[in-house]
Amino acid sequence: MIAGLQSYLLVSAILFFIGVAGVLTRKNIFIIFMSIELMLNAVNLTFISFSRFMNNLTGQAIVFLIIAVAAAEAAIGLSIVILIFKNKDSLSVDDFDVMKG
Amino acid sequence: MNNIFPFLPIGITLVFAIAVMLLEVLLNGKKQILAYVSLLGVVFSAITTVSLWARQTNPFHLSFFSEMFIVDNYSLFFYLIFLLCAGVCILTSSGYLIRENMEHGEYYSLVLFAVTGMMLMASGGDLLILFLGLEIMTISIYVLVGFNRYNIKSNEAVLKYFFLGAFSAGFILYGIALIYGACQSTTLSQIGKVVRAEDFAYAPMAVMGILLLMVGILFKVAAVPFHSWLPDVYEGAPTPVTGFMISAVKVASFAFFLRLFLISFIDLKDSWKDIISVIAVITMFTGNIFAFTQTNIKRMLAYSSISHTGYLLIGIASLSASPENHVADAILYYLLAYSVGSIGTFACISYLSQKDEEYVNIDDYAGVGFKYPLIGIAMSIFMFSLIGVPPTGGFFGKYYLFSAAINQGMYPLVLIAIVNSMMSVYYYLRVIAVMYFKHSDYKVTNTSGKMSTNLVLVYTLVGTIWIGMGTFTIFSIVPGATSVLEWTKVSIESLF
């Protein structure tokens, strides 16, 4: 049996919402960061499957750009994590509550 | 058509951004020069923008690379707002950076990179380009927010901004993916055509894409319930950067929002109009109610900017496909008045605050009005503009926006907005009251940014009043001075 477009879309939607759930529930900065990457990769899967089933190459071009953007974001994100760890010695989001109101 | 001229504003900003970064290595120690170099870039770019506008028969619409990059009056109007905000940000930063001991050349370079991203957001004709512009802007702004490396507040601000920014980028992308699947294209005008067709079979998927995209954009413009990051980020970021974010970043997000919804999704208006209206109402109330209780002025202005987002969302909710009813031009006018007023306020705040971001509570401003007359007058006029008192720009912004919405039959929304404007009078006037009716013997310790601050204040003051007065025809007898309202009209006409 050949998997149709719907199954691909379903898998990517599930992956995306696993990512969303991870961002919303986890406390460790690294896990949150990984969840965001999972969301972006779920989007890539959506683009690729649309592109494949519609015979339209735009989707695949977009995926390359998304990968590049994700890499740039990872570079910034990891340097932010290092900066924060140096100043605060903690990676839990609960410890960042200086500003309130 | 095969002319390089339309690319000059964005090209010059990009070249200067790279040049400033390289110059930083070559010049050891003399960081002040970098501020002037980047300011020169901003000025050149603004000159090319204005001459581009003046050379064409308006309204004009040029598109390049199969409609990926569009230069029209709409994008040029936004270029000018971004360049103005960037210029003010650079001028106020140089004194601030010396005081906070963090003068590094990449600061100016990042401001220019952020402006490049914003320009792409204003002139992208394809969802992909709009997204790339958004990312170029936000990635530069992440670094700027966390620029004060040893300040724990700045760290916390960048942490929150980064994670929520990346999270919302995920939603925007998923929305784009679904729209691409439904319409088989990512070009805005093509999407508009597909959506308009009678036999459009994938409407549910397109609507889902629009809603996801909307969640992402509402994160960026900080509408309630996606606003929780904004007060913390605005408080923790270095003050000139906060000024840049409250004006240019918000305007850029609205430029993206407006072009997308006006060109592509206007025919599916029934699916998003009600949601935007509800969000507008809760955004206005949340912003205004929380602003009451704030003691820190940056935080107070952050909440007030949330309520301004609410007013603008009324405009988005009452958009319609024809340019005749002037809703979209009212939004442009409001954005201009709002950005000039708020960036001016932040120029005052960054001049008055002391090392390590102290002296930013509202009560600290006691007696400032008499001791520093220019700052007192400027701050008062900006506050009046943000409240919406005539003859400042803010009044006419609100007037045009609300009357355009009334013409579209949005009576309840406009009524709520007027109630909210009255509520906002209290917290804005409190700043003026503290400045003039209390006494203290505070003295600004650093005077390094005095010249540039005065320049900025005069510049933004004249701007705020002129945006308001410039709408009267009396002033258009000055040669070449068409009223601001005429500009916004031409900008919106160029879209169609």
Side-chain angles (χ1 to χ4, degrees):
Chain A
M1 192 187 98
I2 299 165
L5 176 59
Q6 282 180 352
S7 7
Y8 284 100
L9 290 185
L10 193 66
V11 169
S12 56
I14 290 170
L15 280 179
F16 186 82
F17 285 103
I18 291 173
V20 172
V23 174
L24 295 179
T25 55
R26 290 312 185 98
K27 300 287 179 201
N28 186 301
I29 294 176
F30 271 115
I31 308 280
I32 294 177
F33 193 68
M34 280 157 62
S35 307
I36 288 173
E37 293 294 313
L38 188 63
M39 284 165 69
L40 293 182
N41 285 325
V43 173
N44 285 348
L45 184 58
T46 317
F47 269 115
I48 290 289
S49 40
F50 275 132
S51 172
R52 178 75 181 77
F53 282 90
M54 297 188 318
N55 282 325
N56 180 328
L57 284 179
T58 319
Q60 298 185 26
I62 292 177
V63 167
F64 277 114
L65 287 162
I66 294 177
I67 292 172
V69 166
E73 242 171 23
I76 294 284
L78 293 178
S79 47
I80 289 170
V81 170
I82 291 171
L83 171 75
I84 280 169
F85 190 70
K86 267 205 281 196
N87 286 342
K88 200 127 189 187
D89 264 337
S90 156
L91 281 180
S92 165
V93 278
D94 287 341
D95 292 334
F96 294 92
D97 53 359
V98 179
M99 291 178 286
K100 273 189 196 131
Chain B
M1 178 67 191
N2 291 321
N3 192 338
I4 200 166
F5 204 57
F7 295 96
L8 275 184
I10 199 164
I12 288 175
T13 334
L14 191 60
V15 167
F16 270 85
I18 297 168
V20 167
M21 206 157 57
L22 295 177
L23 266 179
E24 214 240 330
V25 186
L26 299 177
L27 303 165
N28 23 2
K30 286 169 256 152
K31 301 287 166 60
Q32 197 75 35
I33 298 171
L34 295 172
Y36 297 122
V37 172
S38 44
L39 205 59
L40 200 69
V42 169
V43 171
F44 276 161
S45 184
I47 290 171
T48 47
T49 311
V50 171
S51 56
L52 202 54
W53 182 300
R55 269 163 59 121
Q56 310 282 343
T57 45
N58 297 318
F60 75 101
H61 183 98
L62 306 170
S63 61
F64 304 91
F65 309 123
S66 56
E67 282 195 52
M68 280 200 162
F69 186 80
I70 294 173
V71 178
D72 52 8
N73 296 86
Y74 178 84
S75 48
L76 293 184
F77 181 83
F78 279 108
Y79 284 9
L80 273 183
I81 300 185
F82 302 149
L83 291 169
L84 183 133
C85 296
V88 171
C89 175
I90 291 167
L91 275 173
T92 45
S93 297
S94 60
Y96 180 88
L97 293 181
I98 293 169
R99 188 183 70 212
E100 299 285 330
N101 234 343
M102 50 180 201
E103 212 190 10
H104 305 289
E106 64 265 28
Y107 182 93
Y108 303 111
S109 166
L110 284 166
V111 170
L112 292 179
F113 275 124
V115 172
T116 317
M118 290 167 188
M119 286 176 164
L120 273 183
M121 282 169 81
S123 58
D126 190 289
L127 284 171
L128 175 62
I129 299 296
L130 288 173
F131 174 72
L132 286 181
L134 181 76
E135 283 300 310
I136 294 171
M137 176 188 83
T138 36
I139 288 177
S140 320
I141 298 286
Y142 293 148
V143 185
L144 286 174
V145 168
F147 210 78
N148 201 346
R149 275 191 294 170
Y150 305 106
N151 184 329
I152 205 79
K153 273 188 175 179
S154 188
N155 289 345
E156 192 180 316
V158 68
L159 178 78
K160 287 176 177 166
Y161 191 40
F162 174 77
F163 281 109
L164 288 172
F167 188 53
S168 67
F171 280 97
I172 290 181
L173 274 177
Y174 201 44
I176 293 177
L178 291 185
I179 290 164
Y180 166 67
C183 305
Q184 305 215 0
S185 168
T186 50
T187 312
L188 297 190
S189 53
Q190 185 62 30
I191 294 171
K193 255 180 233 154
V194 174
V195 163
R196 207 167 297 130
E198 294 278 313
D199 55 341
F200 180 46
Y202 300 105
M205 192 150 82
V207 169
M208 222 161 90
I210 291 171
L211 295 182
L212 280 166
L213 195 55
M214 212 165 77
V215 168
I217 301 174
L218 290 177
F219 253 114
K220 296 287 176 199
V221 299
V224 180
F226 313 111
H227 69 293
S228 53
W229 58 273
L230 183 127
D232 292 349
V233 173
Y234 281 13
E235 187 186 341
T239 313
V241 175
T242 312
F244 191 55
M245 286 175 75
I246 207 170
S247 53
V249 172
K250 188 158 272 191
V251 172
S253 310
F254 269 102
F256 178 168
F257 205 168
L258 198 58
R259 189 193 282 271
L260 188 62
F261 277 64
L262 211 51
I263 300 298
S264 303
F265 302 147
I266 197 76
D267 289 284
L268 292 175
K269 197 182 169 199
D270 295 336
S271 62
W272 48 264
K273 184 185 148 195
D274 294 338
I275 302 174
I276 298 250
S277 311
V278 171
I279 288 179
V281 172
I282 48 175
T283 305
M284 286 186 288
F285 273 114
T286 314
N288 279 323
I289 289 169
F290 279 92
F292 276 128
T293 56
Q294 301 306 322
T295 50
N296 182 315
I297 192 162
K298 281 165 87 179
R299 224 176 155 78
M300 189 273 276
L301 287 167
Y303 277 110
S304 92
S305 94
I306 293 178
S307 69
H308 283 283
T309 300
Y311 303 137
L312 285 159
L313 286 180
I314 295 177
I316 302 272
S318 42
L319 280 181
S320 66
S322 61
E324 277 83 49
N325 40 42
H326 303 308
V327 182
D329 4 337
I331 297 177
L332 256 59
Y333 188 93
Y334 193 101
L335 283 172
L336 178 64
Y338 161 78
S339 60
V340 173
S342 46
I343 197 145
T345 317
F346 272 89
C348 298
I349 297 172
S350 46
Y351 180 68
L352 289 175
S353 65
Q354 277 184 329
K355 191 158 168 40
D356 294 329
E357 295 266 324
E358 280 171 25
Y359 203 72
V360 286
N361 285 332
I362 296 172
D363 291 334
D364 293 335
Y365 287 111
V368 163
F370 291 111
K371 211 165 238 167
Y372 304 98
L374 180 65
I375 289 192
I377 291 168
M379 197 81 149
S380 314
I381 288 181
F382 296 141
M383 291 295 145
F384 281 132
S385 176
L386 290 174
I387 295 171
V389 175
T392 54
F395 169 74
F396 288 99
K398 274 188 179 147
Y399 172 74
Y400 292 129
L401 191 66
F402 294 168
S403 56
I406 282 179
N407 284 337
Q408 297 294 307
M410 312 290 268
Y411 298 105
L413 272 186
V414 173
L415 195 69
I416 293 170
I418 289 170
V419 169
N420 269 286
S421 304
M422 289 194 288
M423 279 160 67
S424 73
V425 171
Y426 169 75
Y427 58 81
Y428 286 126
L429 278 188
R430 193 173 60 173
V431 178
I432 301 176
V434 168
M435 278 196 311
Y436 282 101
F437 301 131
K438 278 191 178 173
H439 182 74
S440 89
D441 34 74
Y442 170 76
K443 218 166 153 256
V444 171
T445 44
N446 85 304
T447 44
S448 53
K450 192 161 196 283
M451 262 290 289
S452 54
T453 307
N454 287 349
L455 185 69
V456 162
L457 289 186
V458 171
Y459 186 51
T460 41
L461 260 184
V462 171
T464 310
I465 294 169
W466 180 74
I467 291 165
M469 304 293 267
T471 54
F472 298 119
T473 39
I474 323 166
F475 290 89
S476 53
I477 49 170
V478 185
T482 353
S483 65
V484 184
L485 207 58
E486 203 58 42
W487 295 349
T488 59
K489 252 179 227 160
V490 169
S491 306
I492 293 302
E493 275 164 19
S494 75
L495 276 177
F496 293 96

